[in-house]
Amino acid sequence: MILEAILYASSGFFMKFSDDALDMENNTFLGVVSGLICVAGIGYLSVNFSDAATIFLAILIGTLFSGKVDKVGHIVTLVIFLAILVIFGLPSIGLGALIICTLAAWVDEVGNDHESLKGKKIVETFFNYRFTMKIAVLVLALLGIFYPLQLQGFHPLTFIYFLLFDLAYEMAGLKFNRIYDGIKGFYRVIG
């Protein structure tokens, strides 16, 4: 339980840090290294927990469909994640839950980048913080409480774990510049 919480949070943090290193600083090395740390966490979670496998596969598929896998670092981490799943196996996941989460991830990615939504405060905030996926995971966690066997809903704690993932993701985005500058300063000292 504690390990899951730590891995969800650290994976969220390193996913965002990797994205920002690649997208904002064009730093492939740091993007790949932080992406590999993220993949180690989500790989472990996905191999061992069906809810995590569903969520992270959905995020992968949703970002692929939205065209967000567009840098070498993204492709490297995608290939390694898929290799982990092929080598170690994937737990049984519900197709319905995977479809729901994939659609939610795709809607969040498309909505986050859609220029016509910029300036519409509530809608922009909704997609900026990717609430579609949060709602999907919450609904599946509630279904898991009330209909655990019939609908293959998520374990109720999965929603909490996903919130930890998301909070750490947002924290990495907020603190990226400060952390990145610190890393650059460290390399100047030892270089």
Side-chain angles (χ1 to χ4, degrees):
M1 189 154 89
I2 292 173
L3 179 60
E4 281 180 88
I6 291 168
L7 289 176
Y8 267 93
S10 62
S11 296
F13 181 88
F14 284 107
M15 183 179 285
K16 180 61 173 171
F17 194 84
S18 174
D19 285 347
D20 284 356
L22 292 167
D23 296 338
M24 293 171 51
E25 296 294 335
N26 204 23
N27 187 328
T28 302
F29 175 76
L30 192 57
V32 169
V33 168
S34 52
L36 291 175
I37 296 169
C38 170
V39 164
I42 66 171
Y44 176 85
L45 289 167
S46 296
V47 166
N48 291 291
F49 305 100
S50 61
D51 294 357
T54 303
I55 289 169
F56 293 120
L57 274 174
I59 290 171
L60 170 70
I61 297 167
T63 53
L64 272 172
F65 285 163
S66 67
K68 290 283 198 94
V69 180
D70 57 356
K71 301 252 195 266
V72 172
H74 296 144
I75 295 167
V76 168
T77 54
L78 175 142
V79 168
I80 292 173
F81 177 61
L82 292 176
I84 289 170
L85 296 181
V86 168
I87 292 167
F88 295 103
L90 189 65
S92 176
I93 61 174
L95 183 59
L98 180 62
I99 291 170
I100 290 167
C101 287
T102 299
L103 287 173
W106 178 77
V107 166
D108 278 341
E109 291 299 330
V110 170
N112 187 47
D113 291 339
H114 208 280
E115 289 300 319
S116 68
L117 301 176
K118 304 291 186 210
K120 297 177 176 129
K121 192 69 171 158
I122 293 173
V123 176
E124 186 177 356
T125 300
F126 182 87
F127 288 116
N128 192 35
Y129 291 103
R130 293 167 171 81
F131 274 103
T132 310
M133 188 66 163
K134 289 178 191 65
I135 292 168
V137 173
L138 175 61
V139 167
L140 289 167
L142 291 173
L143 287 173
I145 293 170
F146 298 111
Y147 305 102
L149 299 176
Q150 296 88 342
L151 297 175
Q152 295 180 323
F154 289 167
H155 187 282
L157 281 177
T158 299
F159 180 67
I160 303 299
Y161 296 148
F162 186 70
L163 286 180
L164 291 172
F165 170 87
D166 206 57
L167 287 170
Y169 182 93
E170 294 301 328
M171 184 62 67
L174 291 172
K175 300 293 183 183
F176 175 77
N177 289 331
R178 187 173 186 192
I179 296 168
Y180 189 80
D181 290 344
I183 291 171
K184 285 192 326 190
F186 177 73
Y187 281 122
R188 280 190 214 115
V189 169
I190 63 170

